[in-house]
Amino acid sequence: MKSNLKFVSGDEAVALGVRLARPHVISAYPITPQTIVVERLADFVEDGSLKAEYMHVESEHSAMAAAMGVSSVGARAFTATSSQGLLHMAECVHYASGARFPIVMMNANRSIAVPWSIYGDQRDSLGLLDSGWIQVYVEDAQEALDMMIQAYKVAEHPEVMTPFMVNLDGFVLTHTYEPVEVPDQKQVDDFLPMYQSTNKMSMDEPKSLCFSTSPADNQEFKYMQHKAMEGSVDIIREVDAEFGQVFGRYYHGMTESYRCEDAEAVLMTLGSVTGTVRTVVDMLRAEGHKVGVFKIRYMRPFPQDEVKELGKLGSRVGVLEKNISFGNEGTVFTNVNSVFSTLEKRVESKNYVGGLGGRDITKEDIRGIFMDLLSKEPFTERVEFIGMGCDTNE
Amino acid sequence: MTRMSDFNIRPKDLTDQEYFYGHKACAGCGATIAVRLALKVLGERTYSVLPANCMSAVSFIYPQMAFTTNAIISPFASTGAMLSGVAAGARALGIKDFQTVGFAGDGGTADIGFQALSGAIDRGDDIIYICYDNEAYMNTGIQKSGLTPYGTKTTTSPAGENLPGAVTHKKNMFEIVAAHGIAYAATASIGYPNDFLRKLNKAKSVRGPVYLHILASCPTGWGSKTELSVQLAKDAVDSGLWYLAEYENDEFKLNRNPKEFIPVEEYLYKQGRFKHLKEEDISVIIEHRDKKWEKMRKTWL
């Protein structure tokens, strides 16, 4: 296969992936740090390398509403957002999944005001876990590009018909340059045929979409939506495996486990911090410590089988996340423990919250977490904020 | 040169085909007349977009759908955006010879859907946006909107010792929309169906965004007799409290210029929502009307 390496940012990798997926219409509204995605796509439409309609909408709410309009006639839609923008469109995010429109959206994970911050954490998308969208969190620019292609294939699968959100950590991923292999268009076209659906308004067979139901029917629609999302786990695994065969890059489906088999301490991660944790794992392994990292790729559907298998290994498990559900704990932690609770043997787990508002999570922070997990001392607290600076009592 | 009269449609030329029937709207509903007539003119190759409102609430109740043509409910604020999306998607798929029409109420247009409407006009999208104006949020139980007239009693603008009902006048949607430099905009009334039919026919031929604002009576919200719906929508125009006009190529045109208005009381006091109005309230209404007509007669004729 001819190599086509490009040195691009995460945002640019997303744009390249979207171009390969050939959406019919892009509805775009800018927000830092997503902007470069919609800028590059505008360039591609202008220079003719992407045959799509580029729609300037006046808000994120309209970006998703327009994307739903596009999908409602059976065309392929793309949009991208971040943070405040994702929350502004929240009504439409739920709407799209209920309507079973397989829209693909890139989200640049960014903190939520107040305090205002343009920097990354994952509170935006995790706040919409219950919106009925498939959510994947990628680790680097290559995975970002590849997932744009996989996303459409999974979302548009007749048994799935569920919108798909690809999450990139703001700045750490969106604005970091990396060498990226750009797949061949012909191969992508074969892998991802044009969208075909009966869930659309058509002139041959007119339909009323996005209707209302009485209490006599509503729950059945929600049940079907739930079953489709659950069933998407198999499709996600199949599509990833097929992608690996065609393009030579395989992402291990729902999760990726690294040196966990014999580990005494495992740290679970989401997104770009995984790379740093992997480096620390190698360093600690070289020092003789039995540690591993478990990357959660999909938050919805949740990787129940994989997390359960991890829980059976008997390691102490830390969950590192850039998120907090105020007054409780990190939501990733809640989801993980919910699966652990189904196991006969209790898994000792602890939540590490860090990186909020773009704060760096350093190798030292991660080393500290592993030492805490390896200490075998009973945990003194369930949730620990790592990398704290000033005294917050003042 | 095309004359406006070229777009006239004789009622007997309207198709017998019904594209909107079997809905659960109230007796005497003016909005359903607007939707029914619009679809008869626009034809069966039409995509309709309706936000959350009376028309969608009465016609999309699973499994009974009242539209025989393609139709979709949009989020409340999103009529304009979804219209654009539908049109763009259909265009991208190579679908030819179709119409995309929105049916939004007064609140869905002048309040919550205002931004998306402005965006759609700004883009120059080839869409038709119809605002059926029954002058309050009727679907939620008669609350005041930006198009509720002065002195209207609604459930959120009560009339009492201290207030005459709504204390603001109708937002000037027609001129606000025209200020975008829209391809074509017009006002209409279900009391003047021939005028409405002609404007629909014109809208069908226009390339670019079209905005039609039609006054549609609502017996439930107006506290009026169901058999008076069409008459009241006509009286509104004849008393000068509504007007029939058009905007195209930077020019406004007043389509109907009564020599004499019928007394506003004749229109107002047939409706429960205005029954409480005192003499001084009527004076405010007349003064506002006369100012508006002075301007229209000066520059729109």
Side-chain angles (χ1 to χ4, degrees):
Chain A
M1 191 171 71
K2 198 178 89 200
S3 170
N4 185 13
L5 270 185
K6 275 193 185 330
F7 189 61
V8 297
S9 69
D11 273 350
E12 287 172 324
V14 168
L16 289 168
V18 171
R19 178 167 68 180
L20 287 163
R22 297 189 194 270
H24 291 100
V25 182
I26 293 149
S27 52
Y29 190 81
I31 179 168
T32 304
Q34 154 267 34
T35 40
I36 296 160
V37 175
V38 292
E39 289 170 5
R40 289 299 167 272
L41 288 171
D43 290 340
F44 295 159
V45 173
E46 191 278 332
D47 69 22
S49 62
L50 171 59
K51 299 269 181 289
E53 287 222 19
Y54 192 92
M55 190 185 297
H56 297 91
V57 285
E58 81 302 327
S59 72
E60 290 90 353
H61 194 278
S62 283
M64 185 51 65
M68 289 193 283
V70 171
S71 196
S72 75
V73 293
R76 191 174 276 168
F78 176 77
T79 190
T81 190
S82 176
S83 178
Q84 312 293 131
L86 181 66
L87 298 195
H88 184 50
M89 71 163 66
E91 178 199 8
C92 298
V93 174
H94 281 261
Y95 208 98
S97 68
R100 309 295 295 274
F101 291 143
I103 296 161
V104 171
M105 170 163 68
M106 173 268 193
N107 180 56
N109 282 125
R110 169 185 144 178
S111 190
I112 294 166
V114 168
W116 278 93
S117 167
I118 58 166
Y119 298 104
D121 63 41
Q122 293 158 337
R123 294 204 301 116
D124 53 2
S125 53
L126 290 175
L128 282 176
L129 266 191
D130 296 344
S131 65
W133 281 59
I134 295 170
Q135 285 197 2
V136 72
Y137 293 77
V138 302
E139 184 184 335
D140 56 31
Q142 182 71 63
E143 190 179 357
L145 186 155
D146 292 344
M147 286 316 296
M148 301 321 298
I149 299 161
Q150 287 199 24
Y152 280 104
K153 182 137 175 144
V154 172
E156 294 171 0
H157 190 286
E159 285 163 33
V160 179
M161 289 299 281
T162 295
F164 199 120
M165 190 190 301
V166 180
N167 291 282
L168 279 76
D169 281 306
F171 290 104
V172 175
L173 255 184
T174 59
H175 285 59
T176 300
Y177 279 71
E178 299 176 76
V180 164
E181 170 85 32
V182 182
D184 173 63
Q185 182 71 62
K186 174 78 179 59
Q187 274 186 309
V188 174
D189 290 345
D190 291 342
F191 178 80
L192 179 67
M194 251 314 127
Y195 174 43
Q196 298 288 340
S197 168
T198 54
N199 181 36
K200 64 176 178 187
M201 299 189 285
S202 92
M203 290 304 175
D204 303 329
E205 204 184 326
K207 275 206 175 97
S208 289
L209 297 184
C210 301
F211 45 72
S212 56
T213 58
S214 75
D217 298 304
N218 192 288
Q219 194 160 303
E220 281 69 21
F221 282 101
K222 292 295 128 186
Y223 179 75
M224 288 192 287
Q225 203 180 331
H226 175 60
K227 295 315 273 184
M229 178 71 102
E230 277 190 338
S232 72
V233 170
D234 291 335
I235 313 297
I236 286 167
R237 290 184 186 130
E238 278 170 34
V239 167
D240 194 33
E242 189 191 338
F243 189 91
Q245 281 165 9
V246 176
F247 299 100
R249 286 182 298 279
Y250 172 56
Y251 293 99
H252 307 275
M254 300 293 292
T255 60
E256 188 193 332
S257 180
Y258 182 69
R259 304 185 90 164
C260 292
E261 299 74 24
D262 63 337
E264 289 166 13
V266 167
L267 189 56
M268 287 182 151
T269 57
L270 198 62
S272 63
V273 77
T274 310
T276 318
V277 177
R278 206 182 276 117
T279 305
V280 175
V281 163
D282 286 342
M283 285 161 58
L284 290 174
R285 282 273 176 180
E287 293 168 21
H289 299 293
K290 290 184 169 174
V291 295
V293 55
F294 187 87
K295 169 179 155 185
I296 296 176
R297 297 187 67 234
Y298 285 84
M299 275 303 291
R300 283 295 178 274
F302 195 68
Q304 298 188 359
D305 300 342
E306 291 82 353
V307 171
K308 200 178 279 182
E309 288 309 308
L310 178 85
K312 286 180 188 165
L313 295 178
S315 353
R316 296 234 288 187
V317 174
V319 175
L320 173 59
E321 62 185 297
K322 301 175 182 179
N323 170 62
I324 177 71
S325 178
F326 303 108
N328 192 30
E329 59 195 14
T331 295
V332 183
F333 187 59
T334 307
N335 278 260
V336 166
N337 280 331
S338 164
V339 175
F340 285 167
S341 74
T342 63
L343 296 169
E344 272 178 40
K345 192 160 175 283
R346 187 176 165 272
V347 180
E348 276 191 81
S349 62
K350 182 175 169 182
N351 195 193
Y352 300 91
V353 173
L356 297 184
R359 179 162 302 179
D360 275 345
I361 298 174
T362 65
K363 287 181 199 158
E364 288 66 38
D365 290 332
I366 295 162
R367 176 181 277 269
I369 291 171
F370 274 120
M371 289 305 138
D372 188 27
L373 291 170
L374 287 168
S375 72
K376 299 197 174 69
E377 295 290 319
F379 294 129
T380 52
E381 51 187 353
R382 198 167 49 99
V383 182
E384 181 183 339
F385 277 61
I386 61 159
M388 293 300 284
C390 61
D391 185 348
T392 49
N393 289 323
E394 283 182 20
Chain B
M1 195 178 138
T2 323
R3 292 165 307 170
M4 276 315 295
S5 57
D6 294 347
F7 293 103
N8 283 346
I9 297 182
R10 289 174 300 182
K12 72 180 182 71
D13 293 338
L14 278 181
T15 174
D16 289 334
Q17 193 77 37
E18 297 295 344
Y19 303 117
F20 179 59
Y21 67 95
H23 53 73
K24 301 185 176 181
C26 309
C29 172
T32 55
I33 296 175
V35 175
R36 181 176 168 221
L37 288 179
L39 287 176
K40 277 176 181 277
V41 176
L42 298 178
E44 63 184 354
R45 291 180 67 80
T46 298
Y47 299 105
S48 298
V49 177
L50 298 91
N53 60 28
C54 279
M55 289 305 93
S56 56
V58 301
S59 56
F60 286 77
I61 308 163
Y62 178 83
Q64 295 167 305
M65 303 296 143
F67 285 88
T68 63
T69 47
N70 285 305
I72 183 169
I73 307 182
S74 76
F76 202 1
S78 305
T79 318
M82 196 177 258
L83 272 173
S84 290
V86 168
R91 245 186 344 256
L93 290 172
I95 296 168
K96 299 260 188 300
D97 183 29
F98 66 91
Q99 299 288 337
T100 318
V101 64
F103 296 105
D106 43 284
T109 299
D111 298 341
I112 195 169
F114 186 72
Q115 176 178 315
L117 168 61
S118 179
I121 300 170
D122 178 46
R123 279 188 295 274
D125 288 329
D126 197 7
I127 54 147
I128 299 171
Y129 187 110
I130 298 181
C131 168
Y132 71 85
D133 181 5
N134 52 26
E135 305 194 316
Y137 289 92
M138 299 313 187
N139 193 34
T140 41
I142 321 163
Q143 292 84 19
K144 186 207 168 295
S145 82
L147 285 168
T148 301
Y150 181 91
T152 309
K153 186 175 84 175
T154 72
T155 53
T156 54
S157 60
E161 296 269 310
N162 304 303
L163 290 170
V167 294
T168 50
H169 297 282
K170 285 172 81 73
K171 198 187 271 192
N172 200 346
M173 275 307 296
F174 173 57
E175 285 173 73
I176 292 168
V177 163
H180 288 71
I182 191 169
Y184 177 62
T187 60
S189 161
I190 63 150
Y192 283 95
N194 286 329
D195 172 78
F196 180 47
L197 290 174
R198 178 177 63 80
K199 287 167 177 172
L200 283 166
N201 206 21
K202 162 86 179 170
K204 202 175 163 181
S205 74
V206 169
R207 296 179 80 174
V210 169
Y211 177 80
L212 300 181
H213 189 132
I214 180 159
L215 185 74
S217 29
C218 169
T220 309
W222 291 12
S224 53
K225 290 188 171 148
T226 55
E227 67 272 23
L228 286 185
S229 283
V230 174
Q231 184 63 46
L232 280 174
K234 189 169 176 294
D235 289 350
V237 176
D238 296 346
S239 63
L241 295 182
W242 187 238
Y243 56 92
L244 306 179
E246 285 170 299
Y247 169 89
E248 199 183 6
N249 300 324
D250 276 334
E251 276 181 29
F252 288 94
K253 188 167 179 251
L254 192 56
N255 302 121
R256 188 173 184 82
N257 183 21
K259 282 207 179 66
E260 257 180 71
F261 294 130
I262 63 165
V264 294
E265 292 87 342
E266 208 171 291
Y267 168 67
L268 296 170
Y269 287 143
K270 280 181 196 145
Q271 305 173 54
R273 61 177 179 154
F274 293 125
K275 281 252 160 67
H276 62 280
L277 291 180
K278 302 186 189 103
E279 209 170 297
E280 66 254 38
D281 303 323
I282 300 283
S283 303
V284 173
I285 290 168
I286 290 174
E287 194 186 330
H288 185 259
R289 174 197 70 181
D290 290 348
K291 214 168 129 193
K292 172 93 187 168
W293 278 86
E294 195 189 331
K295 182 191 148 191
M296 290 195 296
R297 282 170 169 152
K298 203 181 285 174
T299 53
W300 295 10
L301 282 173

